[in-house]
Amino acid sequence: MQTHISTTPFGRRPMTLGQMASQVTAKSIPEGATVEKWKVFRSIREARDLLGATDRSLAILNALLSFHRESELSGDGTLVVWPSNEQLMARANGMPPTTLRRHLAVLVDCGLIIRRDSPNGKRFARKGRGGEIEQAYGFDLSPIVARAEEFEQLAEAVQAEKKAFKVSKERLTLLRRDVVKMIDAGIEEGVPGNWGRIGQIYQEIIARLPRTAPRQVVESLCDELQELWTEVHEILELFTKTQNMDANESQSERHIQNSKPNSIFESEHGSEKKNEAGGNAQENDNLRSLPKRELPLGIVLDACPDLMDLAQGGRIRHWSDFLAAVEVARPMLGVSPSAWREACEAMGEVQAAITLAAILQRSDQINSAGGYLRSLTDKAREGHFSTWPMVMALLRTKLDADKAAATTDREPPNGNKGGEGQYKVSEALLKSLNKPRS
């Protein structure tokens, strides 16, 4: 006897296009498809947020699966179960009837089950003479078989997202710990650095971290903390290598200090040029021994604080801000566009900008900034110039000034014994900086 398969729900429940889509999906079960029902259920449970399911609706789905006697769901078998509401409530740990009906609707809306309602809305099965089920009215589990592969992929995506989020949180924790402890170490050891500015940047980054942040926000903050970590780490690393660069620093400081009294560049376009740093063998060896990586931005700003006055808002957080401030300083120093262009070609834009910032810092001792920049540009082309000794010389001048101020004023006003803004350096660095100059 031929029977009709119901496609619409009983009573006042409306038919939706979503329910029709679920029925179309259920018909697409590959021939001979078989899935292990509890394995698929675990995938559905893992991907419940993506599917729109709830914890209670999954408790009902678990009960519905338990009414299917086989451990496997097969497209060739009967996939309709017909438990009464009382039986479902019992297997769902005593769920109230209203809650049961609401979460059954959730399972239908998620496309996990299909209603196969009888003419009177009752759930039952009609068997033939041989005991075989001819017609069943209840809940059709065929979408679980048809979408088993989809559920597995969604579960894997959720697991991957959870892993990525966990890694991001671990990275955030490690970066926060590293930055805080490196800042503390720099202050305790008296490492030259604008630790107040660094600490403020750290606090601004952490202040944007909400209590419950999505992975994208965490990763974005991690990237910013990574930049700050790099800057602080390079400051500390550079501090430990300062004594190895003593000879270069002394040589560069003498070179800059001697540029004012009898400057050979009275005019930027002067016809007479003298190669002051033609360089002997020892100088060339010293230059080759310098680190090959870039100077940290924090060290450059500590050596050239005057540039901060020309920065927009009085703050320089990135190299782009640094370059913008140098563009303001260039015409003020009287450096022509051609001299600046040649310096950028010979040294690179960042190194040329550091050089100009150092010239600005010593502008009261240099008669012609443009001519001096051209001289350094010529030396850079020949491989006889590096910004490291120049910056180190400026830092040592600052340290010497702080030391002299501390000596003449042992007890500053307001009980500030250390002197606000002064550097405290280790004995090893002082010994290195105070070596007699050749």
Side-chain angles (χ1 to χ4, degrees):
M1 181 175 60
Q2 185 177 5
T3 59
H4 176 74
I5 299 177
S6 173
T7 58
T8 58
F10 172 77
R12 296 180 180 180
R13 289 189 289 268
M15 178 67 181
T16 65
L17 292 179
Q19 294 174 9
M20 181 62 69
S22 298
Q23 295 175 15
V24 172
T25 301
K27 293 179 180 179
S28 64
I29 299 177
E31 185 177 354
T34 302
V35 297
E36 206 283 306
K37 64 180 183 182
W38 298 121
K39 181 180 179 181
V40 179
F41 178 75
R42 285 191 294 270
S43 297
I44 294 172
R45 183 176 57 194
E46 193 67 39
R48 63 182 179 273
D49 292 335
L50 298 179
L51 295 171
T54 61
D55 292 339
R56 290 207 170 185
S57 64
L58 291 184
I60 298 172
L61 181 60
N62 180 79
L64 289 173
L65 289 172
S66 68
F67 284 103
H68 191 277
R69 297 183 179 180
E70 305 295 330
S71 61
E72 294 182 342
L73 301 178
S74 174
D76 298 333
T78 301
L79 294 176
V80 178
V81 292
W82 52 92
S84 63
N85 283 354
E86 289 74 13
Q87 291 174 317
L88 273 178
M89 288 186 292
R91 294 200 185 185
N93 303 317
M95 186 177 294
T98 54
T99 305
L100 175 70
R101 288 192 292 270
R102 184 169 65 253
H103 289 287
L104 278 172
V106 171
L107 291 177
V108 174
D109 293 339
C110 292
L112 296 175
I113 61 174
I114 299 174
R115 288 184 179 273
R116 301 296 187 189
D117 289 344
S118 65
N120 60 3
K122 301 293 183 179
R123 303 179 199 128
F124 62 91
R126 182 182 297 111
K127 297 182 180 181
R129 293 183 179 180
E132 299 172 348
I133 297 176
E134 293 182 346
Q135 180 68 43
Y137 296 101
F139 300 105
D140 191 348
L141 304 177
S142 56
I144 296 177
V145 180
R147 302 176 62 188
E149 185 175 352
E150 175 191 348
F151 297 147
E152 184 178 358
Q153 292 175 352
L154 289 175
E156 291 176 356
V158 170
Q159 287 290 344
E161 176 65 22
K162 286 183 178 180
K163 182 179 180 180
F165 186 51
K166 182 179 180 181
V167 171
S168 297
K169 290 177 65 177
E170 290 176 355
R171 182 188 175 201
L172 178 65
T173 300
L174 292 175
L175 284 171
R176 292 181 65 177
R177 185 183 71 192
D178 283 0
V179 171
V180 170
K181 290 194 174 183
M182 286 195 298
I183 291 175
D184 291 343
I187 296 174
E188 291 294 329
E189 296 292 335
V191 179
N194 193 344
W195 299 113
R197 178 186 66 86
I198 294 175
Q200 183 180 5
I201 293 174
Y202 172 79
Q203 292 297 336
E204 290 176 355
I205 295 174
I206 297 303
R208 301 201 306 273
L209 179 65
R211 184 178 296 273
T212 56
R215 177 179 58 85
Q216 291 77 8
V217 173
V218 174
E219 289 183 348
S220 175
L221 296 179
C222 282
D223 292 340
E224 295 186 42
L225 282 176
Q226 185 69 52
E227 293 182 7
L228 187 62
W229 180 93
T230 301
E231 179 180 348
V232 178
H233 187 269
E234 287 183 345
I235 292 174
L236 298 181
E237 186 179 21
L238 177 62
F239 181 75
T240 62
K241 296 180 179 179
T242 304
Q243 51 264 54
N244 297 330
M245 298 157 56
D246 179 72
N248 299 295
E249 298 166 15
S250 302
Q251 176 187 353
S252 178
E253 182 179 20
R254 292 198 307 274
H255 180 67
I256 295 181
Q257 289 176 342
N258 291 339
S259 62
K260 180 185 178 183
N262 298 304
S263 176
I264 61 173
F265 295 101
E266 295 296 330
S267 171
E268 182 179 345
H269 300 286
S271 60
E272 185 177 347
K273 292 187 179 180
K274 182 178 178 182
N275 188 3
E276 293 180 82
N280 53 33
Q282 182 180 1
E283 288 177 351
N284 294 338
D285 290 341
N286 288 337
L287 285 170
R288 283 193 294 269
S289 67
L290 289 173
K292 301 302 181 184
R293 57 183 172 79
E294 301 291 340
L295 273 162
L297 178 59
I299 287 291
V300 177
L301 293 177
D302 292 334
C304 311
D306 289 355
L307 190 66
M308 298 285 287
D309 298 334
L310 304 179
Q312 185 176 6
R315 297 181 60 188
I316 296 177
R317 294 185 56 182
H318 305 287
W319 282 111
S320 58
D321 302 334
F322 184 85
L323 295 175
V326 168
E327 285 293 340
V328 177
R330 181 189 61 76
M332 293 177 56
L333 292 171
V335 176
S336 67
S338 62
W340 174 242
R341 183 172 59 254
E342 292 173 6
C344 291
E345 292 174 355
M347 307 178 193
E349 187 178 14
V350 173
Q351 296 302 312
I354 295 173
T355 303
L356 198 63
I359 293 175
L360 173 67
Q361 194 65 32
R362 289 289 180 86
S363 59
D364 59 334
Q365 302 177 23
I366 300 175
N367 290 338
S368 174
Y372 187 60
L373 180 62
R374 286 187 183 274
S375 174
L376 297 181
T377 300
D378 293 339
K379 295 170 188 175
R381 291 194 186 99
E382 299 171 1
H384 297 157
F385 173 73
S386 170
T387 55
W388 278 74
M390 177 179 284
V391 172
M392 291 300 104
L394 291 171
L395 280 177
R396 179 162 52 190
T397 301
K398 196 171 185 179
L399 287 172
D400 291 343
D402 287 344
K403 183 178 179 181
T407 302
T408 56
D409 190 4
R410 295 289 184 180
E411 194 69 28
N414 302 325
N416 184 8
K417 298 182 179 181
E420 184 177 0
Q422 295 182 0
Y423 289 128
K424 298 179 182 180
V425 299
S426 66
E427 295 182 1
L429 178 59
L430 287 175
K431 183 178 179 181
S432 172
L433 295 177
N434 292 328
K435 287 181 180 179
R437 303 172 185 174
S438 57

